[in-house]
Each structure stands twice: as structure tokens, then as C-alpha cells.
Amino acid sequence: MRILLINTSERKGGAAIAAYRLMEALKGSGIKAKMLVRDKQSDQVTVVPLKKSWWKVWQFVWERIVIWMANRFHRHNLFAVDIANTGTNITALPEFQQADVIHLHWINQGMLSLNDIDKILCSGKPVVWTLHDMWPITGICHHANECTQYTEQCHHCPMLYRGGKKDLSYKVFHKKQTVYSHSQITFIACSHWLEDLAQKSALTKSHPVISIPNAINTNFFRPADKQTARKKLNLPLDKKLVLFCSMKISDKKKGIDYLIEACKIIRQNNPKLDKELGIVVIGQHAELFADLFPYPIYCLEYTSSEKELVNAYNAVDLFINPSLQENLPNTIVEAMACGVPCVGFNVGGIPQMIDHLHNGYVAQYKSAVDLANGICWSLNEGDYESLSEEARRKAVSTYSEQAIARLHIQIYNQITGNHA
């Protein structure tokens, strides 16, 4: 069986990493899998890039211009929505022609237009679409927040500067309805949270929606000696270290403000931790936030090197994800696979990953107080060795490449009629 996975980028962003890891998992299970991308970042031979051209740059710019004009020439949420009005027709490519199943992932910002998706569906090839955010099930937004209009018909979009009855969200929603109606798409949500939202959307109500989490190589992401990892990264050997990681630290949705406030609460209520606690921050411009923390900060540059990430996870005692919007974050799976307990808010797929008081702590949403409680409990009150063992056990049993590949192969066999 030949599977073609399609994603805008090969390695940049959570969806790209998840799609790449799925390709590797499928290959490890004997499936001939390739990945088609617009932006290739490695020399992996099974990753095929679209031909580069200035036209593709213009396609991305033109999409933003259309959104800008619909926004009455305001930059309001200019990069928080996508309309898929430009892209590349891939149906003539040999990789497409040879594939038995087309597996879409995150295809925005000029990779595929809705017209291109229409051509894919009209080709007659079975199509699977993994949801890494809400865009495939809404009009134009990647995260609907409190808005539920996508369950019936998008209009008066809160993401637009001044939405209307037949605004851009309405037009794109209607276009998606037309495109999706041509044939059945099997939607895969990475979390039960997103699965539930997809089942409520008017766009996907006539299509099967199931939940399969992202895969991880648990033979690579695994526990290692903590002292050795710290020496490699020049981190202190005698502190309890907490890790926060984000490609863009300044992104408010990643929740660093809540972590800073939680640290201040800990400092006030737990003076005995003054000399014990340290915060490791991985991300661009991390040093700009150093003075805001009441504890020593150890800033590391953001890296896409998985080897360096494994060292970082193994160097710390606790991983914190205070994100305000999440599907099924790769970072939590990575940390758990390295035997690191995690703390995060009760949002999206996080409570599906962190079993409260079993392998980490699920804090009340947007509560810096409870986030502080979770950090203190995990480091001082819980049975840390048991938390670490359970985190690793959950990663291996639920997110390993073998387990996730097997679930996808079952879907591929079902939609192709191959019941071998």
C-alpha cells in the first residue's frame, strides 16, 4: 500500500512534526509512505517538495491581501485565519498518481486551495484528513474559541474586524460544504476534544470522524541520566528544574504569563524552594522574559534537533505547558516519553494526555494559583518516581509508533477495501 501524506512544511510546526513522525511510523510498519510538502527542511528522500517559484510566494501574499481587504484594511487577525484561495494542483504529480490513499494534514498558507482539494476528491482516491486544529471544520479560523457558529453556518465572524451575514467566513464555509459533498472524507482528530468538536460541525456531520493521537518514537525519546544531560546543557546539577518550551515565547496563547505568575505565587507561599527551583526556557527571545521570573532562568535557543530536545527533557524534573489553546501537544508526549511528569491547563487534549495526580497535574484553566499548586505537588508532594514511571508507561502504551501506525493502517485498509 502507498500512502501520500501532505503538509505545508516538513519540520516546522507541530502538525509538520506529527505528519513526519507518522510517515516514519508507517514506513517502520512496512507501508510505502511519502510526504509531499511546500517547504522541505531535510534531505529525507521520502519527503518530496513542490517546485519552488516566486509564484508560490505571491500566492501566500495574495491570500493575505484578500483577508486584509475583507477586514476593511485592518491587520486584525490577519495571520490567524486562512481562506485557501490559492494553492497547487498536485493531482498530476507521480507521487499522487501512485498513491493508494491521500492523507491530508495542515495544508494552509498556499499549499492547497479548496479548488485543489476538490480536484483531489474528484480523482476518486480515498482521502484521510488529520485535524491538527479546527480549520477544516470551520469557515476560516484555526481556533474558534467560544464561537460555535461552525456547528450550523459561519457568519458574522468574530475573527474579522467587522463580520457580516455573508462575510468571508460565510463564503469559505459554503465553499467547503460544496467541496466536501463530492465524496466521503475520513477525518482523524488527534484528540477526543477535537473529535467532539468535529462531530458537531455542519461541515463534517456526514463524514466519519475518529480520534487517533500523534505518534512518537519511544525508543529515541526515552529516559537518560539526568546529571549527564545537565552537564551537556551547562545546567545546574543541584536544582529542581522546570521546563517551559515554545517556538515563540511572546505568543500569549502559549501562557508564559501564567507561568510567571505561578512562580511568583510559589515564591510567596513556598520560601523553602527559593534556593532549589530553577526555570529552563526554550524558545526565541527567551532572555527577554528572564527578569520577570522570581527564580533563576536558564535560557536555551529553540531547536528542531530531536537529539537536543531529548537532552533538554532529560535534564529537567518537570515539564510545564500552560498553553491556552491546544490540541494534542507534541511537547507533552515527548516529555512523558522521557519519563518527565507534566503540568498543564484543563484545555483541549491536555487532560487526555496528563492523568491527573497519576503522571502529572491538570490545573484549572487559566488559574495561576492551581498551576502553582501543580508544580509544587509534582515536585514535593507526589511520589515523583511513580509519576515519572507512569508518564513513560503512558507514552509507550498510547503514543508509540507501532501503536499509532497500526490504527492508521486499519483505517487505510477499511477505506481501500483491503481487509488483509
Side-chain angles (χ1 to χ4, degrees):
M1 185 182 296
R2 296 176 184 268
I3 309 299
L4 181 63
L5 297 91
I6 302 172
N7 199 78
T8 301
S9 172
E10 176 191 3
R11 302 291 288 166
K12 187 176 180 181
I17 293 171
Y20 184 93
R21 288 176 177 171
L22 176 58
M23 176 188 69
E24 292 297 303
L26 292 171
K27 286 160 56 179
S29 295
I31 299 296
K32 295 179 179 179
K34 288 186 176 182
M35 189 171 172
L36 180 67
V37 301
R38 187 193 64 191
D39 305 324
K40 183 174 180 176
Q41 284 92 23
S42 78
D43 56 0
Q44 171 61 262
V45 294
T46 55
V47 177
V48 181
L50 297 176
K51 290 183 179 179
K52 291 186 177 181
S53 69
W54 285 106
W55 175 244
K56 289 184 174 56
V57 177
W58 169 245
Q59 287 178 317
F60 171 78
V61 173
W62 174 243
E63 183 177 21
R64 298 308 120 186
I65 290 175
V66 173
I67 296 169
W68 179 58
M69 291 190 297
N71 242 347
R72 306 194 183 196
F73 306 103
H74 286 78
R75 290 177 56 86
H76 182 72
N77 288 326
L78 184 59
F79 293 94
V81 300
D82 281 292
I83 58 176
N85 64 332
T86 63
T88 301
N89 179 9
I90 65 169
T91 56
L93 296 177
E95 291 78 16
F96 182 92
Q97 295 288 336
Q98 295 164 4
D100 298 302
V101 176
I102 306 302
H103 193 153
L104 305 179
H105 286 264
W106 201 89
I107 47 77
N108 296 114
Q109 297 187 352
M111 178 67 192
L112 296 179
S113 69
L114 288 174
N115 286 334
D116 298 325
I117 294 173
D118 189 34
K119 292 183 176 69
I120 291 171
L121 294 173
C122 289
S123 73
K125 289 182 180 288
V127 174
V128 175
W129 196 342
T130 291
L131 309 176
H132 294 282
D133 58 32
M134 293 182 67
W135 188 83
I137 66 171
T138 68
I140 60 176
C141 69
H142 292 277
H143 294 282
N145 300 312
E146 289 78 27
C147 177
T148 59
Q149 293 183 128
Y150 66 93
T151 61
E152 296 181 0
Q153 169 70 69
C154 285
H155 58 87
H156 291 92
C157 181
M159 300 294 285
L160 296 174
Y161 182 70
R162 287 182 184 174
K165 186 176 181 179
K166 293 190 176 182
D167 59 16
L168 198 57
S169 71
Y170 170 87
K171 294 175 182 176
V172 177
F173 192 95
H174 181 72
K175 175 72 171 178
K176 286 182 180 179
Q177 279 186 316
T178 302
V179 170
Y180 292 4
S181 67
H182 287 328
S183 61
Q184 191 175 78
I185 307 170
T186 300
F187 288 94
I188 297 178
C190 297
S191 66
H192 294 310
W193 165 77
L194 192 50
E195 176 189 25
D196 181 60
L197 296 180
Q199 289 173 343
K200 295 176 181 176
S201 172
L203 289 173
T204 49
K205 64 181 180 181
S206 61
H207 300 274
V209 180
I210 59 174
S211 178
I212 302 177
N214 297 328
I216 187 171
N217 184 340
T218 52
N219 292 321
F220 184 80
F221 284 88
R222 62 184 303 157
D225 182 70
K226 201 169 294 295
Q227 297 296 302
T228 301
R230 291 187 178 190
K231 289 176 182 177
K232 289 179 180 178
L233 297 173
N234 295 315
L235 294 173
L237 305 179
D238 58 347
K239 287 187 177 292
K240 293 182 177 180
L241 297 180
V242 171
L243 173 63
F244 171 83
C245 177
S246 175
M247 185 168 64
K248 189 176 181 182
I249 298 292
S250 58
D251 185 348
K252 295 294 184 181
K253 295 190 296 295
K254 296 303 180 181
I256 193 170
D257 291 342
Y258 289 91
L259 178 57
I260 292 170
E261 184 61 27
C263 288
K264 291 178 179 178
I265 293 170
I266 295 172
R267 180 69 180 272
Q268 181 179 351
N269 298 336
N270 296 271
K272 66 179 182 179
L273 285 175
D274 278 1
K275 295 182 179 180
E276 295 183 21
L277 197 59
I279 313 297
V280 180
V281 180
I282 298 179
Q284 298 172 358
H285 311 300
E287 64 281 353
L288 298 178
F289 293 83
D291 293 339
L292 301 178
F293 284 91
Y295 297 108
I297 301 299
Y298 308 95
C299 299
L300 303 176
E301 284 294 318
Y302 184 83
T303 177
S304 59
S305 167
E306 292 189 338
K307 184 177 181 180
E308 292 180 23
L309 285 173
V310 169
N311 280 333
Y313 289 123
N314 277 297
V316 303
D317 300 285
L318 193 64
F319 179 74
I320 311 296
N321 187 325
S323 182
L324 307 181
Q325 292 180 347
E326 281 293 2
N327 182 13
L328 199 82
N330 293 320
T331 51
I332 289 182
V333 179
E334 292 165 355
M336 291 174 64
C338 293
V340 179
C342 300
V343 176
F345 284 136
N346 188 2
V347 64
I350 289 179
Q352 175 185 336
M353 307 173 78
I354 303 175
D355 299 319
H356 187 53
L357 305 183
H358 190 65
N359 55 31
Y361 191 101
V362 180
Q364 297 172 24
Y365 186 53
K366 290 187 176 181
S367 172
V369 172
D370 204 28
L371 192 67
N373 290 338
I375 294 171
C376 292
W377 181 86
S378 300
L379 293 176
N380 292 332
E381 300 172 36
D383 182 345
Y384 185 82
E385 185 176 348
S386 176
L387 289 174
S388 177
E389 290 175 354
E390 290 302 324
R392 170 67 181 174
R393 187 175 293 114
K394 173 83 177 270
V396 172
S397 64
T398 309
Y399 306 109
S400 69
E401 287 186 332
Q402 296 85 353
I404 302 308
R406 183 170 61 251
L407 293 174
H408 280 87
I409 292 170
Q410 289 174 358
I411 298 299
Y412 300 151
N413 285 338
Q414 180 181 342
I415 63 178
T416 59
N418 181 1
H419 301 293

